[in-house]
Amino acid sequence: MTLREVEHTVDVDAPAPAVYRLIAEVENWPRIFPPTIFVDRVEADGDSDSERIRIWATANGEPKNWTSRRTLDAKAQVITFRQEVSTPPVAAMGGTWIIEPLTESTSRVRLLHDYRAIDDDPEGLAWIDEAVDRNSRSELAALKTNVELAHATEDVTFSFEDSVTIAGSAKDAYDFVNEAGLWPERLPHVATVRFEEPSPGLQSLEMDTRAKDGSTHTTKSYRVTFPHHKIAYKQVTLPALMTLHTGYWTFTEAADGTTTASSQHTVVLNTANIARILGEDATVADARAYVHGALSTNSRATLGHAKDHAESKR
């Protein structure tokens, strides 16, 4: 069996402990690593600093998912990982994050991988070589950008949530959001949809939505579904005012049969486009208000129609 071992590095203008924390906290990964769609912490052992995580990410443009076990060593600032369930053509995959201080305010991140292809297939190994190299480079570049951004004073990252109470079941509300292929028939602000589910629970959603001024814009997202309580997503084709948009829909049913449905968004603004889109005098606060308003309007519309759909089932 051919075992490939590779290493990628990047220097970051941030203290090593800050970089370590960002990598250790997997809930941040969709925000900081472009290929990552969603990460779910399946199991954690506080005594041994060991945990199992399930990762959904794109590899060479294809959505994949796998389960890994990680061991975290905060003192040494080292995180080791090993895939428990890999996705073909990967037979085995593991590696290590090593965060080394260069000075008090700068650090070096080393990302090591070792892997094998199923049946030692040369084409499979070449595919993995390309995917690991592309993802590692993009992950480290994004890590550098986002860690350094966290130390900047400008507030370009924000989150918010809209909710509605439904006199109906969580399943019916969930089904409405899950069945995105039907949205052009069900949602006035959605013009067209291209919807695929290449594997159960992993969806690709590209849609053209109408703005208040009548214009349309195209977005593409990957979604991970957890029937009937959560749908997490990450946009990979973004409007000009955003460099990142992740979020999730949640559906929580109470003992009395009512459901709280919520839509959560996390956004990073693209400050380079503010003047072009909103005018020379526009500020970061103006862009934040504009994006918040646009996303919230669509979310509240979808939640309202999900409410009507679920309540009509009673």
Side-chain angles (χ1 to χ4, degrees):
M1 282 287 185
T2 301
L3 179 68
R4 185 85 85 220
E5 296 179 324
V6 296
E7 177 175 339
H8 296 80
T9 65
V10 69
D11 292 349
V12 180
D13 290 330
V19 180
Y20 173 85
R21 283 194 302 272
L22 196 58
I23 299 171
E25 295 169 359
V26 293
E27 58 270 21
N28 291 322
W29 283 19
R31 305 183 193 183
I32 62 172
F33 296 135
T36 304
I37 302 166
F38 184 71
V39 182
D40 187 31
R41 185 176 277 106
V42 180
E43 175 188 307
D45 185 345
D47 294 332
S48 65
D49 291 321
S50 177
E51 63 182 13
R52 289 177 65 236
I53 59 175
R54 190 175 181 192
I55 304 166
W56 288 262
T58 56
N60 290 341
E62 299 176 28
K64 303 280 187 179
N65 75 86
W66 61 90
T67 303
S68 293
R69 179 165 290 280
R70 302 200 310 167
T71 302
L72 294 85
D73 186 338
K75 185 176 181 180
Q77 298 180 143
V78 170
I79 301 169
T80 59
F81 58 90
R82 179 69 47 188
Q83 290 186 4
E84 289 187 336
V85 180
S86 299
T87 301
V90 179
M93 173 83 72
T96 309
W97 292 91
I98 303 171
I99 298 89
E100 301 172 336
L102 297 178
T103 67
E104 286 189 359
S105 60
T106 62
S107 54
R108 174 165 295 155
V109 179
R110 298 169 57 204
L111 176 56
L112 284 59
H113 283 95
D114 61 82
Y115 49 86
R116 293 184 290 106
I118 292 175
D119 298 328
D120 213 18
D121 177 51
E123 289 187 6
L125 188 61
W127 188 95
I128 303 169
D129 285 340
E130 183 181 351
V132 168
D133 185 64
R134 178 181 298 167
N135 281 7
S136 295
R137 290 179 188 278
S138 67
E139 285 180 1
L140 290 176
L143 178 70
K144 174 180 173 66
T145 297
N146 286 285
V147 171
E148 293 174 355
L149 182 62
H151 285 72
T153 56
E154 205 167 46
D155 182 16
V156 297
T157 302
F158 64 99
S159 300
F160 63 94
E161 184 170 295
D162 294 299
S163 298
V164 65
T165 300
I166 300 171
S169 73
K171 179 184 182 301
D172 288 335
Y174 168 92
D175 285 346
F176 183 91
V177 178
N178 182 54
E179 295 166 353
L182 300 176
W183 281 4
E185 305 164 25
R186 294 176 165 180
L187 295 173
H189 68 274
V190 176
T192 57
V193 160
R194 293 159 293 281
F195 179 75
E196 297 178 355
E197 191 161 6
S199 62
L202 179 58
Q203 302 172 345
S204 170
L205 172 62
E206 186 174 14
M207 62 181 180
D208 303 317
T209 56
R210 299 184 183 92
K212 289 181 180 179
D213 61 6
S215 63
T216 62
H217 64 271
T218 302
T219 59
K220 182 177 180 178
S221 301
Y222 288 112
R223 308 200 309 176
V224 180
T225 64
F226 301 88
H228 294 101
H229 64 92
K230 186 172 186 176
I231 298 174
Y233 64 87
K234 180 177 184 177
Q235 279 194 356
V236 293
T237 302
L238 292 156
L241 282 175
M242 292 184 275
T243 60
L244 176 127
H245 177 204
T246 64
Y248 50 82
W249 304 85
T250 55
F251 310 87
T252 306
E253 190 166 329
D256 63 2
T258 62
T259 295
T260 299
S262 300
S263 172
Q264 190 272 356
H265 301 267
T266 294
V267 170
V268 177
L269 296 173
N270 187 343
T271 55
N273 286 335
I274 291 176
R276 179 172 66 85
I277 302 298
L278 299 181
E280 292 296 332
D281 296 330
T283 65
V284 169
D286 294 330
R288 175 172 173 157
Y290 180 90
V291 170
H292 186 158
L295 293 176
S296 189
T297 295
N298 287 349
S299 288
R300 289 197 305 269
T302 303
L303 289 170
H305 284 277
K307 173 183 170 75
D308 293 342
H309 175 82
E311 291 180 349
S312 72
K313 299 289 186 179
R314 295 199 68 165

